[in-house]
Amino acid sequence: NAGVTQTPKFQVLKTGQSMTLQCAQDMNHEYMSWYRQDPGMGLRLIHYSVGAGITDQGEVPNGYNVSRSTTEDFPLRLLSAAPSQTSVYFCASSYSSGGGPQHFGDGTRLSIL
Amino acid sequence: DQQVKQNSPSLSVQEGRISILNCDYTNSMFDYFLWYKKYPAEGPTFLISISSIKDKNEDGRFTVFLNKSAKHLSLHIVPSQPGDSAVYFCAASETSGTYKYIFGTGTRLKVLA
């Protein structure tokens, strides 16, 4: 029972490079979301999805793109990485958006040089 | 504008005593509240939740209290154990609105043996 799987666990990028952070869940959850965690800032919502084909912006969406073509996968794309995007990224899922707890992956630690 | 606030960055408590972690919110549309616990290098794990139709919810050593008029919730841990040492995040969501889960900045709890 894998739960929420994030890959990679660590990544170093140069400014301007692009990359995709992968997130997959095997619990048939409708709701998925991406957060970034920075010191003193808590977890800030980047983008979220209430089901396949439906995405919306969170608190800090600039510089990030998402898509949800399947229920299982919710990748996060950085089109042109900036040092300000150095952070730990967490993906989460929940059965529905109607008030259930989210299950989190173990995070991707991303450094932009 | 931070919609969910945890004003105490850290808290130290003796083993066996009560730990009280506080959280304030500003958005009156929030109707579902959660507490998560996070260890280093791991994703947050769900601890306990409460719906706005209740003012208290208990699960073993953990109790969450909700004061809607004050827009305040608290997590009580009794008795505190060294294994409870972690960062605790509160989160809030609108179950019938935007479906966003908004997190506080976290409180680092240290339980002293």
Side-chain angles (χ1 to χ4, degrees):
Chain A
N1 193 1
V4 178
T5 303
Q6 291 184 238
T7 56
K9 293 191 183 304
F10 303 95
Q11 184 70 48
V12 179
L13 292 178
K14 294 181 179 178
T15 297
Q17 286 185 316
S18 63
M19 83 160 294
T20 300
L21 308 186
Q22 302 291 345
C23 175
Q25 52 91 9
D26 61 359
M27 298 172 281
N28 201 32
H29 284 171
E30 289 183 3
Y31 186 93
M32 297 186 74
S33 54
W34 276 101
Y35 295 86
R36 58 178 289 174
Q37 185 189 13
D38 302 295
M41 304 292 289
L43 290 156
R44 291 184 292 169
L45 180 65
I46 304 172
H47 286 284
Y48 65 102
S49 168
V50 299
I54 306 169
T55 64
D56 206 346
Q57 296 181 348
E59 301 172 276
V60 288
N62 292 340
Y64 306 95
N65 281 351
V66 292
S67 59
R68 184 96 180 270
S69 55
T70 67
T71 299
E72 294 78 19
D73 301 298
F74 191 44
L76 179 72
R77 297 184 186 85
L78 285 72
L79 297 180
S80 179
S84 60
Q85 294 178 304
T86 293
S87 188
V88 181
Y89 291 85
F90 290 99
C91 177
S93 73
S94 64
Y95 180 69
S96 76
S97 50
Q102 294 186 90
H103 300 258
F104 281 81
D106 284 335
T108 295
R109 186 174 296 272
L110 183 62
S111 294
I112 316 291
L113 304 178
Chain B
D1 178 36
Q2 192 141 21
Q3 298 184 65
V4 179
K5 302 177 185 178
Q6 293 176 256
N7 292 320
S8 298
S10 63
L11 175 68
S12 291
V13 172
Q14 288 290 332
E15 181 180 6
R17 304 296 291 268
I18 184 171
S19 295
I20 300 176
L21 295 91
N22 294 304
C23 180
D24 297 293
Y25 62 96
T26 57
N27 187 345
S28 58
M29 298 301 293
F30 288 146
D31 58 358
Y32 186 67
F33 305 89
L34 312 92
W35 285 93
Y36 286 83
K37 177 179 179 179
K38 186 183 181 304
Y39 293 118
E42 295 182 6
T45 54
F46 170 71
L47 202 53
I48 192 169
S49 64
I50 188 167
S51 165
S52 61
I53 61 174
K54 295 185 176 181
D55 54 19
K56 177 182 173 181
N57 189 28
E58 281 183 87
D59 185 0
R61 296 185 297 114
F62 303 92
T63 303
V64 56
F65 295 92
L66 175 62
N67 183 334
K68 290 185 288 294
S69 60
K71 294 191 178 67
H72 177 83
L73 64 154
S74 61
L75 174 68
H76 293 209
I77 306 174
V78 184
S80 301
Q81 299 173 353
D84 296 330
S85 297
V87 177
Y88 289 78
F89 291 99
C90 67
S93 72
E94 298 176 43
T95 59
S96 59
T98 64
Y99 307 115
K100 297 179 183 179
Y101 287 82
I102 304 298
F103 280 73
T105 52
T107 296
R108 183 177 301 277
L109 174 65
K110 187 171 184 179
V111 180
L112 307 169

